[in-house]
Amino acid sequence: PGMAALMALPGIGGDRAKLLLDTWSSAAWALTWLTDPHADGEVPGIGKATRDSIRAALGVPDNSRLELVALEN
């Protein structure tokens, strides 16, 4: 499911989705990185233009990002 979710994003095909999953371990962590305008680190082949396209497609406002939040049980 994570691979398919990432591949639905603009500029992300199978190779890039696999690289993201190898780098970030889950689609959720990859989305956090992809949508963070100030994120550190690089994933080869995924630059600022791709990340900006993804932010726009997801409707992420400037200076915002998608983020994981751990809920206490």
Side-chain angles (χ1 to χ4, degrees), residues 7-23:
M7 288 175 59
L9 299 171
I12 306 296
D15 290 342
R16 287 181 176 177
K18 183 177 181 338
L19 190 54
L20 285 164
L21 290 172
D22 289 346
T23 302

Side-chain angles (χ1 to χ4, degrees), residues 15-64:
D15 290 342
R16 287 181 176 177
K18 183 177 181 338
L19 190 54
L20 285 164
L21 290 172
D22 289 346
T23 302
W24 299 107
S25 76
S26 74
W29 284 118
L31 279 169
T32 298
W33 179 78
L34 286 166
T35 61
D36 186 344
H38 308 291
D40 292 331
E42 292 185 21
V43 175
I46 302 175
K48 182 177 179 340
T50 300
R51 292 173 63 198
D52 287 347
S53 294
I54 290 168
R55 291 172 51 76
L58 295 173
V60 178
D62 292 342
N63 292 316
S64 299

